[in-house]
Amino acid sequence: MNKIKYCTLIILLLAANTSFSNVTLPAFFSDHMVLQQNAEVKLWGWGNPMEEITVTTSWDTAEVKTKADRHANWQVLLKTPKAGGPYTITIKGYNQVVLTDILIGEVWLCSGQSNMEWTPSSGITNGEEAIKNADQPEIRFFNVVKNSAENPQLDLKGEWQVCTPNTMQYSSAVAYFFGKKLHENLNVPIGLVNSSWGGTPAETWMPQEVIHADKTLEEASKKLGADVWCPSEPGRTYNAMIAPLVGFKVAGVIWYQGETNTGNADTYQHTFSALIQSWRNDWGQEFPFYYAQIAPFEYGAPEIGVKVRDAQRRTLAVPHTGMVMTSDICTTDDIHPRNKLDVGLRFANIALKNHYQTMQGIVEGPLLDSVSFKGKKAYVYFKNSEGLYLKTKDTLFEVAGADRVFHKAKGALKKNMFIVSSDKVSKPKYVRYAWGNTSISNIFNKAHLPASSFTTEKPE
């Protein structure tokens, strides 16, 4: 009888030990996920301290072994092959976890506020047709559930989903159209990690220590008002919706945000540049970071919208960035342009040319290159200027002298350069273009992409 009790006790102890030491993984390591191809990717999770963990993959029969540390953390590095699948990954400790239907391809992080979050079911142009044709099994979504936190988190909520009409209609429309074109052109699986939240300012998407260490960022963050729809405090969405993802290998980032930062327009270039660098620092990866310029809209106060657009243009000084123009595919009475297809395609074109180097030609709109002054005239040169043309006669240029009082100017197009002048300014010193919250560019290049608004005045 005592022997039976002893054996029962041992069995119960072993069962207890196993139940409290199961190997677990973050939510984004799961069935149906996409891993970055031809890369060294990190896989991590939790287990019992000193528990031996063995990881095997069906693309490589070699076993990768590690042990959970005294804080119950473990991680391994896996070398992924070229695009393909489906594969399985087996993680074995005291228990065993098998991840199935894993694809290897290209993974992109998609983030920002409502224009990135906007789904096909929310009323986009030709949304019903896009949903109907969204049976794309090699495109996968991971939609991060909205959450905020005072401190960086280890995990988040969400699940990988195969792209079907049902899953696509509740995922980011911009991300889907971006991923679909990448898939068609690269012929590889595409993973789209969507972590976005409507109404959020940039400050809540970056580590709070970055903000607190920078006087300009800290002062700007203090001006952000509370919003009933989303957090605005520094770092809150970063902590809950980005920090857990840090280390998950991605090819790059696409970003659509800025409308909420119109109240801090004068410092947005500094803020946005710091956000890009902070994410790259966290990942230890100089990944491409492409973003959409906000659309012309009233925005409530003079010039705050166009100042953000100009700040986004200036942020192109950060290496490996690219900007999608939206002024020609919007209406000025809607802060959410319904044409998400062209936004996604323009993102994809920039990635295909600049990152994947599989596309030729111009993929971005005309951008201010330089301005020179001679007498009463200003000579304005653009980048991406091949085939410049005007859609309307009014060139939307203004010039100012040393007094910084701007006057409407004439602009004569000579090949890929504009000669700009005003009878009211005898000695121009500054030039600006399409300078207004609702001003829509009418200068286009050979790719039929619009020029960005700009001013040669330096932000205060």
Side-chain angles (χ1 to χ4, degrees), residues 1-28:
M1 188 68 179
N2 289 338
K3 187 175 182 180
I4 293 173
K5 289 181 178 180
Y6 176 77
C7 290
T8 302
L9 178 62
I10 293 297
I11 291 170
L12 289 172
L13 288 172
L14 287 172
N17 183 58
T18 301
S19 65
F20 287 105
S21 60
N22 284 349
V23 169
T24 56
L25 301 164
F28 41 85

Side-chain angles (χ1 to χ4, degrees), residues 97-145:
V97 177
V98 180
L99 307 181
T100 63
D101 189 32
I102 309 303
L103 298 182
I104 307 294
E106 293 295 309
V107 183
W108 285 79
L109 175 57
C110 316
S111 188
Q113 56 181 108
S114 54
N115 273 308
M116 181 61 77
E117 182 186 353
W118 204 272
T119 65
S121 62
S122 298
I124 68 168
T125 304
N126 298 323
E128 291 185 3
E129 183 71 14
I131 292 169
K132 184 177 67 175
N133 295 318
D135 186 13
Q136 301 284 340
E138 289 200 340
I139 298 176
R140 308 286 173 88
F141 303 109
F142 186 92
N143 295 316
V144 177
V145 175

Side-chain angles (χ1 to χ4, degrees), residues 25-34 87-89 97-103 140-142 158-162:
L25 301 164
F28 41 85
F29 292 128
S30 67
D31 296 344
H32 314 304
M33 72 175 171
V34 181
Y87 297 108
T88 61
I89 300 177
V97 177
V98 180
L99 307 181
T100 63
D101 189 32
I102 309 303
L103 298 182
R140 308 286 173 88
F141 303 109
F142 186 92
E159 62 177 338
W160 282 99
Q161 297 178 316
V162 178

